């Protein structure tokens, strides 16, 4: 299937955009180069966006424009701040954007991650809006747009922009080059218009986004929320039937494209990896036990404290599980210089200590094993395959790729996916054990019920989930976006009246 969906994506791009350069733009780069005492280390950042885009770029080729955030990033680039990737057999170019430290601070840590991120996730962390951050956001977006224009020169191009860090880039590009085809994908939820009304620069942000030809969200209701926000915030025409907003004579189509993973590729990684080999100590400590697993960036939207309380409730209510069930949480550190993230890291490690101190079991047993560090794909795949259940308890999440990775790694073997109803994934993965993570006791009861089902039933649920993830993989996602962009383009070419 992967081969088929991958080939179909390549065909789609070749047949519709032949001769046009493909440029992907994102804040985060697919690879980061870091200085170490021994030389330079290559790091693959933990991010759902890169998980999804790397296979798409490997299939399509082109240029990936991203912020050069690594300490050795510009030691390894050419005269135009670019590098061919991967070095042994290059398939695409990475162009690194230079941002001064104060610009990165205000744009990335400030406006993007203390402003927009909490604004769009309904997780009870209030957004912070500082005028200085907004000015840095404008400057950073201008730097990205300049690099994109430099990369494409006079050539025709398709530009595919990622996420909430770069909302002003589409308008900047449109003003410089009206002929560009621009698609934008917003990887996080778009909340309703009342929520968006607290954003002081709402009009400017929307005007920036509406420079795109096509804007994608994970879910239909995010599209609707976006169109309503446009309708109430800026001058223009919103056509709800066609899901299109027209402003300054330019039409932008808005569509749902639920994102996914390279399912078969993930399964291959899981089959190749060995839990016992990669985690010998953990394997010995968890041998013969029911293993529950959590895999996340350490972000407050992922509901990790709630998850720990679910495990605690399980062990509290069913003492017979002590010594027989253990929870492994891995967490990639993220956005560490933001106070809210530092507070979360402390809250999680304190809660782990508290839960472990509460329950006693046989010698060597621990309720929770907490590993707050980066883990590569092979390690994550090995953990997924070993785990009897994966706990995804996000308080709000655009999609959540971890849920899909667990399904792929199991490929129909018995398992339990405990999945928050507040993830985009819950709209597709209907055979999962769907819970409200705020209801800790209810979630614990559902988890136990699912673990106690016969193996055939747990395997059948995982098999159906796997069918869906395999059929709708990330190549299928990419193809749907490029096909829709092509339709928009043909429509634009065929029309006489602007805005049609
Ligand atoms: C945003 C939206 C949406 C985990 N630890 C490491 C690591 N990971 C990988 C996971 C997974 C990815 O990071 C996380 O993906 P998610 O989808 O859970 O979450 P976000 O990063 O918040 O992504 C989300 C996504 O965009 C795509 O649109 O699904 O809703 O919030 O692949 O396995 N990766 C590396 N090291 C780790 O230690 N390299």
């Amino acid at each position: 299937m992967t081969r088929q969906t991958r080939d179909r994506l390549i065909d789609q791009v070749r047949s519709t955009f032949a001769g046009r350069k493909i440029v992907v733009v994102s804040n985060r780069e697919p690879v980061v180069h870091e200085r170490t005492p021994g030389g330079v280390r290559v790091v693959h950042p933990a991010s759902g966006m890169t998980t999804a885009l790397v296979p798409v770029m490997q299939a399509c080729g082109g240029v990936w424009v991203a912020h050069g955030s690594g300490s050795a990033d510009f030691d390894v680039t050419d005269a135009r701040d670019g590098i061919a990737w991967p070095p042994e057999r290059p398939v695409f170019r990475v162009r690194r954007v230079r941002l001064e430290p104060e610009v990165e601070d205000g744009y990335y840590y400030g406006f993007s991650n203390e402003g927009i991120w909490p604004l769009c996730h309904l997780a009870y962390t209030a957004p912070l809006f500082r005028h200085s951050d907004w000015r840095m956001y404008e400057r950073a977006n201008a730097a990205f747009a300049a690099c994109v224009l430099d990369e494409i020169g006079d050539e025709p191009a398709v530009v595919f922009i990622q996420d909430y860090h770069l909302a002003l880039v589409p308008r900047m590009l449109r003003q410089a080059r009206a002929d560009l085809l621009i698609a934008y994908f917003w990887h996080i939820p778009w909340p309703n218009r009342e929520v968006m009304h607290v954003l002081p620069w709402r009009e400017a942000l929307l005007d920036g986004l509406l420079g795109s030809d096509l804007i994608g969200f994970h879910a239909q209701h995010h599209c609707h929320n976006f169109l309503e926000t446009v309708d109430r915030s800026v001058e223009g025409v919103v056509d709800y039937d066609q899901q299109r907003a027209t402003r300054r004579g330019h039409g932008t189509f808005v569509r749902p494209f639920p994102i996914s993973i390279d399912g078969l590729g993930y399964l291959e990684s899981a089959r190749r990896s060995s839990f016992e080999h990669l985690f010998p100590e953990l394997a010995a400590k968890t041998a013969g036990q029911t293993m529950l697993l959590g895999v996340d960036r350490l972000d407050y939207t992922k509901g990790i404290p709630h998850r720990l309380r679910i495990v605690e409730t399980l062990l509290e209510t069913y003492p017979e599980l002590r010594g027989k069930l253990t929870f492994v949480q891995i967490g990639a550190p993220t956005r560490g210089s933001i106070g809210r993230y530092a507070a979360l890291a402390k809250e999680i490690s304190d809660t782990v200590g508290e839960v472990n101190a509460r329950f006693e079991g046989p010698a060597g047993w621990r309720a929770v094993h907490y590993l707050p560090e980066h883990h590569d794909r092979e390690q994550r795949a090995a953990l997924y395959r070993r785990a009897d259940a994966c706990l995804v308890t996000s308080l709000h999440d655009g999609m959540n790729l971890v849920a899909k990775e667990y399904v792929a790694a199991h490929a129909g073997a018995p398992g339990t996916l405990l999945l928050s109803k507040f993830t985009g994934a819950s709209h597709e993965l209907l055979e999962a054990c769907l819970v409200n993570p705020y209801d800790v006791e209810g979630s614990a009861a559902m988890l136990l019920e699912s673990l106690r089902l016969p193996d055939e039933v747990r395997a059948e649920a995982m098999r159906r989930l796997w069918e869906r993830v395999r059929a709708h993989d990330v190549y299928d996602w990419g193809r749907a976006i490029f096909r829709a962009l092509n339709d928009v383009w043909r429509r634009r070419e065929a029309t006489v009246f602007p805005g049609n």
Side-chain angles (χ1 to χ4, degrees), residues 290 314 317-321 324-325 388 415-416 444-458:
T290 300
L314 208 56
T317 320
Y318 306 96
E320 68 275 17
L321 293 175
K324 294 190 184 135
L325 175 144
D388 298 288
T416 288
M446 292 274 287
L447 174 57
L448 187 65
E449 199 180 314
S450 169
L451 287 170
R452 285 185 170 161
L453 288 171
D455 268 2
E456 312 84 78
V457 178
R458 296 175 67 233

Side-chain angles (χ1 to χ4, degrees), residues 44-49 51-52 117 121 163 185 187-188 218 259 266 295-297 302 330-332 373-377 380 384 397-402 405:
H44 297 274
S47 130
M49 185 280 300
T51 299
W117 178 268
H121 287 95
D163 234 353
F185 193 80
H187 289 256
I188 63 175
H218 291 300
I259 206 164
Y266 219 90
V295 174
D296 307 84
R297 285 185 305 102
K302 304 292 180 185
I330 64 165
E373 60 240 13
H374 278 274
H375 290 85
D376 63 28
R377 174 170 155 135
R380 284 176 278 138
Y384 286 134
D397 215 330
M399 174 55 68
N400 193 285
L401 297 181
V402 167
E405 290 168 356

Side-chain angles (χ1 to χ4, degrees), residues 334-354:
T334 182
R335 305 172 193 169
S337 59
I338 297 177
R340 180 68 183 87
Y341 285 80
L344 176 79
K346 183 170 181 326
E347 183 188 353
I348 295 172
S349 59
D350 287 354
T351 312
V352 169
E354 211 182 287

Side-chain angles (χ1 to χ4, degrees), residues 131-345:
H131 284 240
S132 55
D133 289 347
W134 172 251
R135 283 194 294 275
M136 295 304 140
Y137 187 82
E138 290 176 310
R139 266 174 69 177
N141 274 241
F144 275 87
C147 283
V148 172
L149 292 169
D150 182 52
E151 284 295 324
I152 56 186
D154 298 329
E155 290 180 56
V158 174
V159 186
F160 185 19
I161 305 165
Q162 312 300 315
D163 234 353
Y164 56 98
H165 315 86
L166 302 171
L168 308 181
V169 172
R171 177 68 65 199
M172 291 170 173
L173 295 179
R174 178 75 54 215
Q175 276 168 346
R177 284 276 305 270
D179 65 305
L180 291 177
L181 272 172
I182 305 175
Y184 199 104
F185 193 80
W186 188 269
H187 289 256
I188 63 175
W190 189 283
N192 70 36
R193 62 187 163 80
E194 281 90 349
V195 173
M196 292 311 275
H197 274 194
V198 308
L199 172 61
W201 303 281
R202 194 174 67 251
E203 282 184 46
L205 190 113
L206 291 169
D207 183 58
L209 286 168
L210 293 173
S212 313
D213 294 294
L214 175 70
I215 301 180
F217 294 95
H218 291 300
Q220 178 57 49
H221 64 280
H222 298 157
C223 298
H224 187 78
N225 288 346
F226 176 78
L227 287 169
E228 270 199 348
T229 311
V230 171
D231 207 4
R232 299 299 177 102
S233 310
V234 292
E235 263 182 46
V237 179
V238 170
D239 180 333
Y240 288 96
D241 291 334
Q242 298 227 29
Q243 295 201 92
R244 183 182 56 180
T246 305
R247 178 167 162 85
R248 302 206 214 178
H250 176 77
T252 302
F253 287 81
V254 180
R255 296 281 183 274
F257 301 103
I259 206 164
S260 193
I261 58 162
D262 169 14
L264 274 182
Y266 219 90
L267 173 59
E268 273 168 33
S269 301
R271 283 196 175 134
R272 268 200 313 268
S273 64
S274 153
F275 176 61
E276 285 72 20
H277 177 69
L278 293 168
F279 297 92
E281 212 183 311
L282 190 62
K285 285 185 180 153
T286 57
Q289 293 183 23
T290 300
M291 186 177 125
L292 314 179
L293 175 70
V295 174
D296 307 84
R297 285 185 305 102
L298 292 174
D299 196 292
Y300 55 84
T301 59
K302 304 292 180 185
I304 302 168
H306 292 69
R307 192 178 307 165
L308 287 163
R309 294 300 175 200
I310 291 171
V311 174
E312 181 183 40
T313 304
L314 208 56
L315 294 170
E316 173 66 40
T317 320
Y318 306 96
E320 68 275 17
L321 293 175
R322 298 175 200 168
K324 294 190 184 135
L325 175 144
T326 189
F327 172 49
V328 176
Q329 172 69 52
I330 64 165
T334 182
R335 305 172 193 169
S337 59
I338 297 177
R340 180 68 183 87
Y341 285 80
L344 176 79

Side-chain angles (χ1 to χ4, degrees), residues 351-363:
T351 312
V352 169
E354 211 182 287
V355 173
N356 278 337
R358 261 195 85 179
F359 301 109
E360 286 189 4

